[in-house]
Amino acid sequence: MFYIKTMPNNVSHWIEKNKDYLVKQTEMLQSAIARMANNSLEVKKVGITVWAAIVGFGFTNRSAALFVLAFVAFSLFGVLDVYYLYLERKFRDNFNRLTRILSGYIVPEDQEWIEKVKGNFLKPDNSTKFLGQIPNTLKSWANLPYLITFLITILLLVVPLPASP
């Protein structure tokens, strides 16, 4: 992919005319990215807390069904976290495009994108492809708590509970 240093006059004129607006858009994108990252962290915290409570209750009642419930509940929190990570990546893509445009290094796709969003750079695309991101997301170090928790839950389901005294 190559970058075009000189933009057509209509786009470069539009960028110069709206430079303050575009800078504000980048600041709002940074804020949205920070919120998505914070939401992802909060979902992880709440998910692990709910999981620990259900697993603790499962040990108290010696019920394998509660371990399955803990696994399902934590999986649902995981899907919500994947959604926040997906949105964060989309906002990062928009931020990267906008900074590239502001710096004068524009690619042909950027011109199409400018026309498509019509000045609203904060809106990610309408696709619902975030479930397809689950394999990529699981490779991230940010999701290590999920992988460890899933492994612990599977071990709790496989290994029989000790007999009560």
Side-chain angles (χ1 to χ4, degrees):
M1 179 180 279
F2 66 95
Y3 294 102
I4 303 169
K5 179 62 179 161
T6 58
M7 295 177 283
N9 288 336
N10 59 350
V11 175
S12 64
H13 176 66
W14 181 84
I15 291 171
E16 285 302 317
K17 181 179 164 189
N18 295 302
K19 195 160 194 124
D20 291 336
Y21 171 75
L22 296 173
V23 169
K24 287 293 184 189
Q25 289 278 307
T26 60
E27 292 170 2
M28 288 190 284
L29 279 169
Q30 286 176 328
S31 175
I33 291 166
R35 279 195 316 271
M36 292 302 114
N38 187 47
N39 288 344
S40 175
L41 177 64
E42 290 300 318
V43 165
K44 284 182 182 85
K45 287 195 259 184
V46 171
I48 288 178
T49 303
V50 168
W51 174 84
I54 295 172
V55 166
F57 196 59
F59 274 121
T60 303
N61 292 332
R62 304 207 182 286
S63 172
L66 288 172
F67 296 129
V68 172
L69 178 65
F71 186 80
V72 169
F74 200 63
S75 297
L76 292 175
F77 280 107
V79 169
L80 184 60
D81 184 42
V82 167
Y83 180 67
Y84 283 128
L85 290 172
Y86 172 78
L87 284 178
E88 180 184 347
R89 286 184 185 140
K90 289 297 181 182
F91 283 126
R92 284 184 193 275
D93 288 345
N94 286 0
F95 178 80
N96 291 337
R97 281 187 194 127
L98 197 52
T99 53
R100 193 169 53 236
I101 289 166
L102 281 170
S103 64
Y105 293 95
I106 191 169
V107 295
E109 294 87 29
D110 293 337
Q111 289 179 334
E112 295 170 16
W113 181 70
I114 289 170
E115 294 170 10
K116 180 181 172 188
V117 297
K118 295 182 173 84
N120 183 6
F121 301 104
L122 296 175
K123 184 179 179 185
D125 66 355
N126 293 341
S127 68
T128 55
K129 299 176 184 173
F130 73 93
L131 289 176
Q133 295 292 320
I134 291 175
N136 292 337
T137 304
L138 289 177
K139 294 176 187 175
S140 170
W141 284 99
N143 290 309
L144 191 59
Y146 284 108
L147 298 175
I148 292 171
T149 306
F150 286 145
L151 289 174
I152 290 171
T153 307
I154 291 169
L155 283 174
L156 290 173
L157 287 169
V158 172
V159 176
L161 293 174
S164 61

